[in-house]
Amino acid sequence: MQNLGKDFGAFTALAEMDLTIGSGEFVALLGPSGCGKSTTMNMIAGMLDPSHGEIRFDGRNMNGVPMAKRGVGFVFQNYAIFTHMTVRDNLAYGLKSQGVGRAETNRRVGEIAELLQLTPMLDRKAAGLSVNILQRLAIGRSAVVEPAIFLLDEPLSNVDAAFRAVMRAELKSLQRQFKQTMVYVTHDQLEAMTMADRIAVMDHGKLLQVGTPLEVYNHPADTFVARFIGAPGMNLLKGRITGADTGLVADLGAAGHCPVRTGQGGDVLFGFRPEQVHPDANGPLQMIVTTVERIGARTILHLAAGDMTAKAVLDSETPVPDQGQPFRFALDADDVRLFDAETERAL
Amino acid sequence: MTDMTTDTLPDDAGDETALHGGAEERKLGFWLTLPAQLLVLFIALFPILMQVYISLTDWSPLDGIPWYQAYELWIGLLNYVDLANDPRFWSAMWRTCIVMAICVPVQFFLGLGLAILFVDDFRGKRVLYSTILVPMMVVPAVAGYMFFMLFQSGGPVNDILSFFAGRPVTIAWLSDPDLALFATIVSDIWQWTPLMFLILLAGMVSVPQDQQMAAVLLGASWTRRFFTIVLPRMKTIIIIAIAIRVIENFKVFDNFYIMTGGGPGVATETISIYIYKVTQQELIWGYVAAIALAILITLSVVSALAIKKLRGAQQ
Amino acid sequence: MQRSLSFEIFRYAAIFGFLALSLIPTIWMFSMAFKPIAEWQASGADLTWWPKNPTLDNFRFIFGESGSDLIVALERTAGRPILASLLSATFGTLIAMAAGTAAAYGLSRFGAGGNLPLALIQLRIFPPMAVMIPVMIMWAFLGLIDTWYGLALIYGIVTMPFSFWLMKTFFDDLPREIEDAALVEGCSRWRVFLKITLPMMRPALASSALFVFILNWSDYLIALLLTTRDWVTIPVYMASLSSSMTGQLYGAKAALGLIAAVPPVIMGIAIQKQLVRGLTFGALKE
């Protein structure tokens, strides 16, 4: 399997979209609900027909190919395990459906069960298994027929928060083991950041940015991506770039002035990560603390200046001013991201 | 759209009492359930005791003595001995079973086939769905009169057959023993196929979509998906649907009695018609009580076993 | 899921084929009801599938106006049987709903009457014919034979399993929090039931009542055994629509059959969504 190329679009659900996914890559489709990520996924799987554009697997046009023949492995939100069958029958389902012989089926089921540590429970009914076993079973059930591509539809959304980290790690290691191309749909940026090789951020049926987690985090293509990635998301303050003697300065109104590296004069949205705020009694920026949120290792300050709000994430050791007090801070000029005030695209 | 509950069968009480055990609430619960309890006692316990008593006598309402003095006509278990040797009773029983054995599978497969056609969306689904349901809402007795008209020798059924045969067909449906049974069975199938359809469709719709999708993505053909995913998942509902029709078919009376009166001869005499005739025409109520009790006891045992088994299968 | 064109064609063909057969009896009754005497008496080759000269004569006839070509006049018109059916089915429904709803609430909320679910299912399984001897004796003793209220009483008991099970599933679905909130505010349990729960259950009560009404309205056997003359119901009365001179009065029967069939069909379609729940004793909810 070489390249999966697809460029397609479905009326309102999904506008023009181009995305190439490399073999063995783990790509996360990330976006809020209704952004078109599930539509995209369903079109790859063949549950929906694209209204225009095409999906290609290895350069082969998949339009009109029925889902059964696409070689797509699909892991559903709640895993869609056949609970009325045994684990073994679940694993063998795809092979039997495709008319693979009994001996071959048994061999491959045995292999996959061994790999996924499902061997001890092969003859148990699939009902009542714990959720991480269900996840392995769902992956194994699809993997056994050696699909060209794996699609995962928010498989962790029904899992307890406490258990998600474990499941994420397991899923990631499974993907490495299988060297399998995976497309993972999620609305949880944390899942996308921790597992994916590349993230495709979507909103309102549009693909906004594709990149590695760090690229997306550090260089968001627009304000939506900036706000959506990271917890909390990037701060965006309205400002104006003016040239000063020492260089360019962003005039942030009530919050003060901050030197920046690039940018032409004019209105901008001034972006910085809450984590990159440095408390500095002599810093160029000042905002009023509205709330102090202490969450163990970190402290989140809710800040306001005029009609602008921002957040700062600080080490809990750092002394912080009380509510209602001003907070002065500095930013590395390298950490500042500027966005066009009109188009909201990165400058 | 549909949601299949797992607490299909009665298994309540006990634990809930513990949860809501205030004295006031227990008292209110008692008063709320009292009318229903009394009505059940009124229709079950008292009549059954009465039935046991009368069944041991040779009492008839024509004897001129009130039922409570029926001991004057005490005959012990003779009614039950008679019952065991009553060919008409056994043939009515047998006929009822035959009717059941034909009606229920035909209704099931027709209903299942229709349900398959209705399980996904298509234009006009709602209207067609409602139209299919019409027969089951027609009063069964009225259905009996309708089919009585249809199967007249100069009636519309023969008219349609004449059209296809190209010559006048004058089959006397209701006066030929075999054809009369056929005609009554047709009327039952006509009326109750929609019920099977309704229940089976609801069950089919409740089969999780993603499991079916998963099967398709794994390369399963339509038939494989249907037999390995859809049908097994509908098991409980299929059992319930068939059980309902078996029970109702066992009681069948209205349309049969109106179409043929159980005749010609006893050709369409089901168990209910047989009991009715002995009650109304031969008036030997002691014997009727014996028949009724025998049936009640058999049904109680069978249904209790079936419910127990079904409940076991669900857990 | 995509379906091929040939499947769509097959689907419509199969459904319309089925409907064509399944609608014949209904259409026939409909057509007969509006045929003049000459047409509904016709048989064999003279049969007409649709009335050539539609008329309301049959309806006039069963209500006692014998202006039609029928020489016979009815000894008894259909008015009284219709009233009997209405009264017995309505009051039977009230009895079943009152006792069934109260018991369902008692079980669903307080766990009272744990024996009822099974007892009522068993009650439903028994053929009515098998308990009719004692019932006839009891009804005669209580003076309830051939009265609409006697019929209503037995209807109420026979259909109580349905009202009970339907309402039980509805109560089970109703979140307790709403009632608990009212309880906290100091209302008594009884008041909560009457003032909070029942009004909230109005749609459920309505559809259950319609369902039970259809069942009561559809009875034939019980009325056949417990009424004799004054309060016979529609289906029992229909048998008398024949005369020695003209034989079966098909037109009149069809007209009355239509009158009997229309209300339940309309009600049934109105409560379509609850039909499955009612018929399967709440095992399947829609």
Side-chain angles (χ1 to χ4, degrees), chain B:
Chain B
M1 170 176 166
T2 315
D3 131 59
M4 201 146 135
T5 48
T6 39
D7 59 338
T8 305
L9 290 164
D11 56 7
D12 301 87
D15 48 335
E16 290 189 23
T17 327
L19 278 172
H20 304 270
E24 185 211 357
E25 299 180 353
R26 225 170 303 137
K27 216 168 83 188
L28 184 58
F30 171 78
W31 286 109
L32 282 170
T33 41
L34 187 66
Q37 299 276 23
L38 287 180
L39 287 177
V40 170
L41 279 188
F42 182 60
I43 207 65
L45 188 69
F46 186 52
I48 284 172
L49 291 178
M50 199 157 141
Q51 197 131 282
V52 171
Y53 171 57
I54 296 173
S55 76
L56 300 172
T57 71
D58 199 16
W59 183 73
S60 152
L62 297 184
D63 289 340
I65 53 173
W67 68 275
Y68 44 85
Q69 283 170 20
Y71 58 83
E72 290 171 21
L73 302 164
W74 193 267
I75 53 166
L77 292 173
L78 205 58
N79 277 330
Y80 293 93
V81 177
D82 283 352
L83 181 62
N85 299 309
D86 180 351
R88 200 169 149 205
F89 168 76
W90 290 110
S91 91
M93 235 3 178
W94 176 238
R95 200 167 297 110
T96 309
C97 291
I98 289 177
V99 168
M100 219 186 280
I102 297 173
C103 287
V104 177
V106 172
Q107 287 161 358
F108 174 77
F109 285 111
L110 281 176
L112 190 68
L114 282 171
I116 291 169
L117 297 178
F118 272 83
V119 77
D120 39 27
D121 285 329
F122 59 95
R123 278 180 77 88
K125 177 174 171 171
R126 291 191 65 84
V127 177
L128 292 173
Y129 176 80
S130 301
T131 317
I132 283 186
L133 296 189
V134 166
M136 66 178 273
M137 295 176 231
V138 172
V139 179
V142 172
Y145 290 114
M146 280 155 68
F147 276 87
F148 178 78
M149 290 191 250
L150 289 173
F151 279 109
Q152 292 306 307
S153 59
V157 169
N158 280 343
D159 193 50
I160 295 172
L161 292 178
S162 309
F163 174 79
F164 286 109
R167 59 185 167 77
V169 175
T170 52
I171 302 169
W173 291 97
L174 299 179
S175 32
D176 175 285
D178 292 332
L179 295 179
L181 191 62
F182 174 80
T184 49
I185 285 173
V186 166
S187 79
D188 192 84
I189 291 171
W190 172 81
Q191 182 141 44
W192 298 115
T193 295
L195 181 121
M196 277 284 193
F197 160 70
L198 180 77
I199 297 176
L200 292 177
L201 178 61
M204 205 177 280
V205 169
S206 73
V207 176
Q209 270 297 311
D210 52 2
Q211 299 210 359
Q212 301 193 47
M213 236 17 143
V216 175
L217 285 165
L218 287 169
S221 62
W222 186 92
T223 33
R224 180 163 161 76
R225 171 168 63 93
F226 185 74
F227 285 105
T228 57
I229 311 289
V230 179
L231 273 191
R233 292 235 151 235
M234 289 173 66
K235 197 171 112 194
T236 317
I237 280 313
I238 290 174
I239 293 173
I240 291 175
I242 289 178
I244 289 173
R245 280 318 303 156
V246 165
I247 291 165
E248 294 298 319
N249 242 306
F250 187 78
K251 305 195 238 180
V252 70
F253 178 84
D254 300 7
N255 45 352
F256 278 57
Y257 186 71
I258 287 170
M259 284 173 73
T260 64
V266 292
T268 57
E269 193 170 275
T270 61
I271 196 71
S272 285
I273 295 179
Y274 170 63
I275 304 178
Y276 174 79
K277 283 185 167 171
V278 183
T279 309
Q280 286 298 71
Q281 293 164 10
E282 300 174 24
L283 287 161
I284 31 178
W285 287 16
Y287 187 51
V288 177
I291 304 173
L293 261 184
I295 290 174
L296 284 185
I297 291 165
T298 315
L299 280 182
S300 300
V301 173
V302 170
S303 65
L305 282 178
I307 288 174
K308 200 173 154 193
K309 193 149 182 225
L310 196 58
R311 209 193 284 175
Q314 262 179 354
Q315 277 150 16

Side-chain angles (χ1 to χ4, degrees), chain A residues 53-67:
Chain A
E54 48 185 50
I55 300 168
R56 288 191 297 270
F57 288 7
D58 290 335
R60 205 155 60 84
N61 187 351
M62 280 298 172
N63 288 9
V65 176
M67 7 181 198

Side-chain angles (χ1 to χ4, degrees), chain B residues 137-143 145-146, chain C residues 29 33 59 62-63 78 81-82 85-86 213-214 216-219 233-238 252-267:
Chain B
M137 295 176 231
V138 172
V139 179
V142 172
Y145 290 114
M146 280 155 68
Chain C
M29 178 171 71
F59 294 91
I62 56 174
F63 288 109
I82 291 175
S85 277
L86 272 177
F213 182 89
I214 296 176
N216 288 335
W217 180 265
S218 300
D219 166 71
T233 59
I234 299 174
V236 181
Y237 168 80
M238 271 173 87
K253 279 190 177 173
L256 187 55
L258 202 59
I259 292 173
V262 167
V265 170
I266 292 172
M267 290 178 191

Side-chain angles (χ1 to χ4, degrees), chain A residues 30-32 186-189 201-202 223-231 233-234:
Chain A
L30 176 65
T186 181
H187 62 267
D188 181 346
Q189 55 96 19
V201 187
M202 299 178 69
T223 57
F224 176 82
V225 180
R227 279 197 212 96
F228 197 73
I229 303 283
M234 188 179 271

